[in-house]
Amino acid sequence: MDFNETPEVPFPEIIELNVGGQVYITRYSTLTSVPDSLLWEMFSRKSAKGLARDTKGRFFVDRDGFLFRYILDYMRDQQLVLPDHFPERGRLQREAEFFNLPELVKLLAPKISKQNSLGDEGCQSDPEDSSPGIDTARNLGSLGAAAAACASLVPGAMDGKRSGFITIGYRGSYTLGRDSHTDAKFRRVARIMVCGKTSLAKEVFGETLNESRDPDRPPERYTSRYYLKFTFLEQAFDKLADAGFHMVACNSTGTCAFAHEQTDDKIWTSYTEYVFYRE
């Protein structure tokens, strides 16, 4: 045996990952760039046996596929770069904890300067839950002044909510018999569409929002491809009301067609949009 020979690595140089349904292709060296991290432990072993794979043979990790892009980006050069007004800082911190990236966890933690005032990111990041220290408790007045300064720069910042519109689209259909309205058979289509600014939609609907049709939309861009994971309009309305939105307009269209050529049964299909606004 040649002792100068480099030991064979059981993984290829280019690795395909399936993270929560999102496919990523990266280098082996990137996945092992942070010692003692979860990915380092996964891909530093002597054998690939025991690692979960999807139906196409890609290594599978059951985590948030959208947020993993920032995890992978950090592992490339150990720097954190996020979009402005990033609304999911807390969730990304949780992902960093799962992947055992302590330095990234520190970068994502809420920052308070030594002068007990909000850091540079105080106005643009979502507020995070944190336990105030002794010095912080003694200087709540300073924190309040900093928060007031942020509020003067951004309208509505005092309550952490921005103004804007969200449109809810809903499609339904029913079959109406010729004898009586009591014969009507109503069927709800299991999809409630959400249109509006990405950050507002995520704020209002959170985990109940399905982003699979538009997963990489930046927070300040608009989308019409999100939909909800539930099928009750009232549930959507409750969430909007809890977030301070009020309905300002609605409209509906309908079409009719015969269900069968030899009967008078008709199929009615309607599409309705509800427009909500928060000042």
Side-chain angles (χ1 to χ4, degrees):
M1 176 179 179
D2 186 358
F3 290 97
N4 294 322
E5 182 180 352
T6 303
E8 183 179 355
V9 178
F11 299 96
E13 175 60 24
I14 305 300
I15 294 180
E16 291 190 42
L17 295 173
N18 178 346
V19 183
Q22 300 295 321
V23 176
Y24 292 88
I25 301 176
T26 187
R27 290 184 176 275
Y28 171 82
S29 57
T30 299
L31 297 176
T32 57
S33 62
V34 181
D36 298 323
S37 67
L38 177 64
L39 292 171
W40 179 86
E41 292 181 356
M42 289 175 58
F43 294 99
S44 294
R45 57 179 64 189
K46 297 180 179 180
S47 173
K49 293 182 180 180
L51 294 179
R53 295 176 182 262
D54 65 9
T55 56
K56 295 186 178 180
R58 295 174 293 220
F59 295 103
F60 178 75
V61 182
D62 189 16
R63 298 301 292 184
D64 190 311
F66 173 76
L67 292 177
F68 184 75
R69 62 185 299 185
Y70 302 106
I71 298 293
L72 188 60
D73 191 44
Y74 170 80
M75 297 191 70
R76 291 188 175 108
D77 52 18
Q78 279 72 64
Q79 293 185 6
L80 175 64
V81 180
L82 297 176
D84 292 338
H85 307 291
F86 185 67
E88 302 196 62
R89 199 178 186 93
R91 291 180 60 190
L92 181 57
Q93 184 178 0
R94 184 178 63 186
E95 296 300 301
E97 292 171 350
F98 175 82
F99 286 103
N100 197 19
L101 299 169
E103 294 303 319
L104 179 57
V105 173
K106 292 179 183 179
L107 292 173
L108 290 166
K111 296 181 179 179
I112 300 179
S113 70
K114 294 181 180 180
Q115 289 75 24
N116 298 306
S117 59
L118 295 178
D120 294 338
E121 297 178 346
C123 290
Q124 48 183 310
S125 300
D126 285 351
E128 302 288 345
D129 294 333
S130 60
S131 300
I134 298 177
D135 293 337
T136 304
R138 292 175 180 173
N139 294 275
L140 291 177
S142 298
L143 286 171
C150 287
S152 65
L153 297 175
V154 182
M158 283 300 290
D159 57 5
K161 297 179 180 179
R162 304 179 207 168
S163 61
F165 290 88
I166 289 181
T167 300
I168 300 296
Y170 186 78
R171 191 182 305 276
S173 65
Y174 62 91
T175 302
L176 186 64
R178 60 183 174 179
D179 296 330
S180 166
H181 287 282
T182 59
D183 294 334
K185 298 178 180 179
F186 183 76
R187 181 176 67 88
R188 285 185 170 184
V189 177
R191 183 158 294 183
I192 301 176
M193 306 300 299
V194 177
C195 309
K197 185 176 289 187
T198 301
S199 57
L200 284 180
K202 291 182 178 180
E203 175 199 331
V204 174
F205 296 107
E207 296 291 341
T208 64
L209 189 69
N210 193 318
E211 309 167 29
S212 60
R213 297 178 62 193
D214 201 0
D216 299 324
R217 179 68 60 175
E220 296 307 310
R221 299 291 296 276
Y222 291 80
T223 182
S224 60
R225 298 175 62 82
Y226 288 168
Y227 59 95
L228 301 179
K229 297 178 181 179
F230 51 81
T231 60
F232 292 96
L233 273 175
E234 294 78 10
Q235 191 173 349
F237 294 166
D238 284 342
K239 287 184 173 295
L240 285 160
D242 291 341
F245 283 81
H246 300 275
M247 187 187 300
V248 294
C250 68
N251 65 81
S252 180
T253 60
T255 59
C256 176
F258 286 101
H260 304 283
E261 294 182 358
Q262 299 179 353
T263 68
D264 292 334
D265 291 355
K266 297 179 180 180
I267 297 178
W268 288 85
T269 301
S270 64
Y271 178 74
T272 305
E273 286 187 342
Y274 306 88
V275 182
F276 289 81
Y277 178 70
R278 182 174 68 190
E279 295 182 356

